[in-house]
Every structure is written in C-alpha cells, then in structure tokens.
Amino acid sequence: MSLRAGDVVPKISHPPPITHHPALITHRSVPTAHYPSPIAQRPAPITQRPAPTTQRPSPITQLPLPLFPIFPLYSLVQNMGRKKDREPKFYENLEVTNAGSEGKSIARVDGKVVMIEYAVPGDVIDARVTFKKRSFENAVITKMITPSADRVETFCKHFGTCGGCKWQQMSYEAQLRYKQQQVLDAFERIGKFSFPAFDPIIGSADTRYYRNKLEYSFTDRRWLTEVTDIGSLTKEQNAGLGYHIPGRFDKVFDVDTCYLMDELNNGIRNNIKDFCKQNDYDFFNLYGQTGFMRNLLLRNNLKGNWMLIVSFGYEDVEKRTALLAHIQQAFPQITSLLYVINDKRNDTIHDLEIKVFHGEDHIVESLEELQFKIGPKSFFQTNTTQTLNLYRKTREFAQLTGNELVYDLYTGVGTIALFVAKHAARVVGLEYVEQSIADAHVNTALNGITNTTFFAGDMKDLLTTDFVMQHGHPDVVITDPPRAGMHEDVIQRLLEVKPKRIVYVSCNPATQARDIALMSGHYAVTRVQPVDMFPHTHHVENIALLELK
C-alpha cells in the first residue's frame, strides 16, 4: 500500500478502559516501540482473551489505550501526570529530506531531527509526533500532501506489519543511492579520514526471492491485523505460522506470501500449516512454552535443492512421522528433510541433535568452481548470487599474484579463504566459532585445497606476536568482522604486523569507519566498494582497501 496526495489516515478512536489482567493485555494490545505505520493496515486492540489468574490487575490496565500503539508502555508510565507530554503534537507540510537509520526517513524542524517511519525522502506530509526527546522526535504520517518521485507501490500484503522489507515503498534506484550515501556519511562523520571517490554501489540483480534461508515460528495466538472478536475464533483460526512482530519475541503474525525466498517456500510453509491445522496439531504457545509445532527453517541452493528443519516442542513419534512423511511425499525438491526436538525455553538449535528423516544431512552450494557443504547449523551468506559479487570484489582488492601469505580474519566457514586460496601462496583463516572452523575443514577437503590452515579462538587472543612468528608475516589481511567491528587489540596487532594491504569487508559502515580511523595513521584508504546484499532494507555491505603508507 502507498499513500497518494490527499490520502488521510483514519481518525483514531479509543476503546473503553481495559480492566483485564496485564498478562492478557500483552497478547494483542500493549503498546510497543516497534509498530506498523498508519500507512499500512494496523493491528487493532480487540476483545481480550480470558485466562485463569490469581494475581490482581495492574493499575496501568485501567488506562484507556489507543486503537493502535502510540507510545511504548514505559513511556505511558513515565509521562503519567505530565499533561504537556501527553498532548499530541502535529506537523503540517513537513518535507522529508533524507533517509536515516533503521529504515526511517528524516525531516528537520528548527534544528531538530524528526524520524518518520515509512516516509520517503521527497515526501511532503502532515505528521503526528509519537515520541520526543530534546534532540530528536519520532513521528508517523497522518496525511500525504505530495508523494516523493521516489515513492512506489508496495508489493507485499504484510508491509507495515512485517519488519523485513521496510523500504518497499522506495524505488530500488533510490534505495541504492541512499545506501551509498550511508557509507559516505559514516566515513565523513565518524571516520574523518581521507578516501577516494567510491566505486558505484553494486546492486542486486534480484530484488525479490533472493534469500537462501528463512525461519518461521508457529503460534497458537497469531497477531491479528484486523478488528476481530477473538472470542469467536476457533483453535484453527487462532493458529498461525510466520514471523515475529519487530522487537517482540511473543508476537507472531501469520504469513500468507513472502517474497524473500523462492516461491516454493510459500508452498512448503502453507502446506505444512494446513496439514497441522487439519490434523489438530498444537501450535506453540510462546508464553507457556508449550505446544508441538515450534519452528521451521528453510534453506536452498542455486541448483534447486532444499533443506527443511522442523522443530518440535516435544516428541510424539506418531504425529511427527505422519507430518514428515507427508512433507517428503509432497515436496521431492526437499533433499534434506531434518527434524529436532526442542523442549528448551528458547528457539536456538545449535546445541541440539538434529536428525535426518529423509535424504542427506546437508545441501551443497557452488561459487565459481568451489563447492560448499551447508549443514543445518552452518553459516552462509543469505544472498548467494550477490555473495559471488562480494567475494570477487574482495579478491580483486587483495591484488594477489600467487606469492602472498594471506590472513583471513573472522573467516567463518572459510568461504573467503577458499575463494582466494588458488590465487595465493598460503591462506591462514582465524575464527572464534569452533563449529565454523570444523565446517571450513570439511569444505577444504571437499575442494581438494591444500594451502589453507584454520584456527579457532577469540581473535584478540589468537592473533598474537607468537602466532605471527609461528605461521608467518601476512602480506595481505582480509577481515570480515561482525557488526560490532574489530576489537581494539586486533587493530593494534594489525598495526604492529603492518601487512601491505588490508581488505576490510563490513556489514556495518559505522563500525568500519571507526576501525579504519584507528589505522589511518599508517594506512590510506585507496578504494571503497558498497554492495547491496539486502534489497528493500536499509542494510548495506561495504569493502574498503587499505594500503600501507
């Protein structure tokens, strides 16, 4: 859904005071810090679900709550008794000027930043402030005066409820423009070092169906996106399978169609959901941590092979076997059909035994001539075709002649290390996750590569003077740290080792700029290449080449 000039969000009405137990309120109507914009169809508070309780209701439940969330709950409590803070504040003819963090866009009023969800730079809008601080405010659109030339129709019915593709309302050309600007701003404002003109951002050839991995959660209390008398809903109508509402572990909305992964993912998910409803399988209750059907995890490769992991809340051999046999028959594309029994109070499966029901315990992905074995717990970049572009550019920046010793920091399952191995004399990969190093050894053997060595341990403790003396002085270092960036001890070690070139791959330009600034006394940034791995989001990957001065 997109707003056109003159479109007005319907006036907000208020329901009667709520007097139920707070545990009941949190199911559908507690205001949250993450909520859909008025642009999209909003979930509405509805008749509360009765449940047994021995506790007294909280005084906060006596407050009349708005038809859709305006403030986080802590803000309601914080602002009680301060009338001026509860008075609504509006802006008229507000011009949106830039894209900001977390997928929001920015307007400025008297020097103050106003962050607006679902706005597009170039929009002229009326807006209502939902949260305010001294230096910034959050706001939502109440009326579209003039839509931006970069505003487009959204294609997903879940836009505004799902937090997965917050930039759908912006043209892809504009998305790329603002992502490149995001890197530029980080380098200028945080890094404050010299750098050359950027290479043009590499856009994704596929802006839909580009992911190779998705996870879904079952719920026996799906998040409702329309006003409904929940007392009239059956067990089957309440059940859902989909994504969590942004920022909420306990809220899951039912997904009908998702455009992030090949269309078969929708067929598999909906088929399983229908089978479970028809056969009266219990969907998971996130509050009580009870229920049979818990999670689904889907992976696929470019060849069209699929892996499915079904997570059950407890063992029921008859029901489990019936479901998995049904899936095996219905979807021959699933060459790795796995299951796990998870009776813990969290959804992680990395510490659990995953069993094979049918087929292999892995799928294999190809990048150029390399083969990568991907198991249920393996890390692999989620946009396969764009990963190839990212790694090729990384290899290009490394400028390898075949004689170099390369250190690959935060190597993961060794994808970059193996990708550059045949162009280097030797590659040493370092990673703090032991399971990833085990996968790296498997992938090395799978490809018959003999000039790589991998080590597991905390990076700041592993990369020491003794380690360098034992394994050789690197000519080139490739580093691809997590979003938090590199530890200062690691940066200091790089400054002591002084490799000729450092190729810094990052999923967070802000921490990348911070780290490069710490090395700018010894290294010059000579090339910068942004890469878009996640269309319709504000996230951007970036590669920077640092050369010793």
Side-chain angles (χ1 to χ4, degrees):
M1 175 183 178
S2 292
L3 291 182
R4 298 178 175 85
D7 283 356
V8 181
V9 175
K11 184 178 179 181
I12 304 168
S13 61
H14 296 265
I18 297 171
T19 58
H20 299 294
H21 185 271
L24 308 181
I25 295 173
T26 56
H27 173 41
R28 308 274 170 109
S29 58
V30 166
T32 74
H34 302 272
Y35 49 82
S37 162
I39 300 176
Q41 187 178 16
R42 290 183 173 277
I46 48 185
T47 305
Q48 302 300 309
R49 179 190 305 275
T53 179
T54 57
Q55 297 180 337
R56 296 173 60 85
S58 165
I60 192 65
T61 63
Q62 310 298 326
L63 292 174
L65 298 181
L67 189 59
F68 57 82
I70 295 180
F71 292 93
L73 182 58
Y74 71 84
S75 293
L76 281 173
V77 177
Q78 188 179 53
N79 291 327
M80 287 175 63
R82 300 194 308 185
K83 183 176 180 181
K84 66 177 182 177
D85 287 343
R86 297 201 308 270
E87 293 176 352
K89 180 179 180 181
F90 296 89
Y91 289 116
E92 294 183 348
N93 294 306
L94 188 63
E95 183 178 0
V96 183
T97 57
N98 204 349
S101 62
E102 299 179 1
K104 299 177 182 179
S105 291
I106 294 174
R108 296 183 183 274
V109 180
D110 298 328
K112 178 177 289 189
V113 173
V114 183
M115 308 287 291
I116 310 157
E117 281 198 293
Y118 304 104
V120 176
D123 283 343
V124 179
I125 62 172
D126 289 348
R128 175 174 52 82
V129 174
T130 60
F131 184 77
K132 46 187 174 178
K133 286 284 190 179
R134 184 166 297 180
S135 59
F136 76 94
E137 296 173 334
N138 290 337
V140 293
I141 299 173
T142 57
K143 182 179 180 180
M144 177 62 65
I145 306 301
T146 306
S148 169
D150 292 324
R151 180 175 283 277
V152 297
E153 289 286 338
T154 59
F155 54 83
C156 180
K157 65 183 290 186
H158 302 300
F159 178 74
T161 300
C162 177
C165 304
K166 288 189 174 181
W167 274 8
Q168 271 188 43
Q169 79 282 18
M170 188 187 302
S171 71
Y172 189 55
E173 293 76 13
Q175 292 178 36
L176 295 178
R177 191 166 67 246
Y178 288 112
K179 290 185 183 195
Q180 179 138 337
Q181 185 64 42
Q182 181 185 148
V183 180
L184 180 64
D185 289 345
F187 277 33
E188 288 181 340
R189 299 173 185 177
I190 299 173
K192 296 182 170 59
F193 45 75
S194 300
F195 55 88
F198 289 5
D199 292 357
I201 187 170
I202 301 175
S204 178
D206 299 313
T207 59
R208 305 183 198 181
Y209 309 115
Y210 61 84
R211 287 184 64 98
N212 58 38
K213 178 183 177 183
L214 285 178
E215 298 181 49
Y216 296 107
S217 296
F218 289 87
T219 178
D220 67 345
R221 295 183 174 190
R222 65 182 177 89
W223 178 263
L224 300 176
T225 56
E226 65 281 330
V227 176
T228 307
D229 177 7
I230 65 171
S232 67
L233 297 179
T234 64
K235 174 183 175 181
E236 179 180 333
Q237 291 170 331
N238 261 314
L241 175 57
Y243 299 128
H244 288 263
I245 296 292
R248 297 303 299 264
F249 85 95
D250 55 342
K251 312 292 186 188
V252 174
F253 71 94
D254 190 53
V255 172
D256 176 67
T257 302
C258 179
Y259 296 91
L260 284 173
M261 196 176 188
D262 182 273
E263 178 61 31
L264 184 62
N265 105 84
N266 293 311
I268 294 172
R269 183 196 61 252
N270 291 333
N271 182 285
I272 293 173
K273 177 172 59 180
D274 291 343
F275 179 92
C276 293
K277 286 184 176 182
Q278 292 164 10
N279 291 275
D280 198 30
Y281 284 27
D282 290 333
F283 285 34
F284 204 68
N285 182 288
L286 291 162
Y287 290 102
Q289 294 289 296
T290 59
F292 184 56
M293 300 303 303
R294 186 158 186 169
N295 302 102
L296 297 181
L297 189 153
L298 284 162
R299 307 187 84 145
N300 70 350
N301 63 15
L302 294 177
K303 294 179 180 179
N305 303 129
W306 287 70
M307 172 188 290
L308 172 64
I309 307 168
V310 183
S311 178
F312 299 99
Y314 56 87
E315 177 64 292
D316 184 321
V317 175
E318 183 178 351
K319 285 188 173 182
R320 171 178 59 76
T321 303
L323 172 61
L324 295 176
H326 167 77
I327 296 170
Q328 178 186 349
Q329 183 177 10
F331 298 100
Q333 302 94 328
I334 299 177
T335 58
S336 175
L337 180 53
L338 314 175
Y339 71 94
V340 60
I341 308 300
N342 181 8
D343 57 3
K344 303 182 304 171
R345 296 189 67 85
N346 62 68
D347 291 336
T348 59
I349 60 174
H350 288 276
D351 56 342
L352 300 175
E353 181 185 3
I354 299 176
K355 299 180 180 180
V356 177
F357 180 83
H358 167 72
E360 303 288 342
D361 64 353
H362 65 277
I363 56 176
V364 176
E365 186 58 274
S366 300
L367 294 178
E368 292 186 340
E369 74 282 0
L370 296 172
Q371 306 289 306
F372 293 94
K373 182 179 177 181
I374 302 173
K377 301 177 183 179
S378 300
F379 170 80
F380 197 81
Q381 288 278 5
T382 54
N383 185 339
T384 306
T385 55
Q386 197 69 334
T387 295
L388 194 55
N389 291 326
L390 181 75
Y391 289 172
R392 283 172 174 165
K393 188 60 67 170
T394 299
R395 187 173 62 195
E396 176 189 324
F397 276 25
Q399 303 173 42
L400 302 176
T401 65
N403 300 315
E404 294 85 3
L405 170 60
V406 179
Y407 277 18
D408 181 24
L409 309 188
Y410 311 93
T411 189
V413 297
T415 45
I416 293 179
L418 298 180
F419 204 78
V420 303
K422 75 173 185 179
H423 300 273
R426 189 159 60 92
V427 182
V428 176
L430 291 80
E431 167 62 41
Y432 61 93
V433 179
E434 291 187 7
Q435 181 59 51
S436 294
I437 290 299
D439 291 338
H441 286 302
V442 170
N443 289 324
T444 300
L446 181 64
N447 290 281
I449 293 175
T450 59
N451 65 333
T452 57
T453 312
F454 296 99
F455 300 91
D458 190 303
M459 198 66 59
K460 63 181 176 60
D461 300 327
L462 197 59
L463 187 63
T464 63
T465 301
D466 289 342
F467 183 92
V468 173
M469 289 179 62
Q470 181 178 354
H471 298 285
H473 186 287
D475 302 294
V476 177
V477 168
I478 299 172
T479 181
D480 185 5
R483 290 188 61 81
M486 294 192 293
H487 192 280
E488 283 192 28
D489 290 352
V490 177
I491 295 173
Q492 184 59 41
R493 189 71 61 223
L494 291 178
L495 292 176
E496 294 171 3
V497 173
K498 289 186 174 62
K500 296 176 184 176
R501 288 181 293 281
I502 299 174
V503 183
Y504 193 145
V505 184
S506 174
C507 59
N508 186 345
T511 55
Q512 183 187 42
R514 178 204 66 196
D515 293 349
I516 293 175
L518 295 175
M519 297 185 282
S520 60
H522 296 84
Y523 284 89
V525 177
T526 57
R527 287 190 69 181
V528 182
Q529 177 65 76
V531 181
D532 182 25
M533 301 287 287
F534 304 104
H536 307 303
T537 76
H538 63 283
H539 299 292
V540 61
E541 202 93 4
N542 190 55
I543 313 169
L545 172 59
L546 285 66
E547 298 191 87
L548 191 62
K549 292 181 178 178

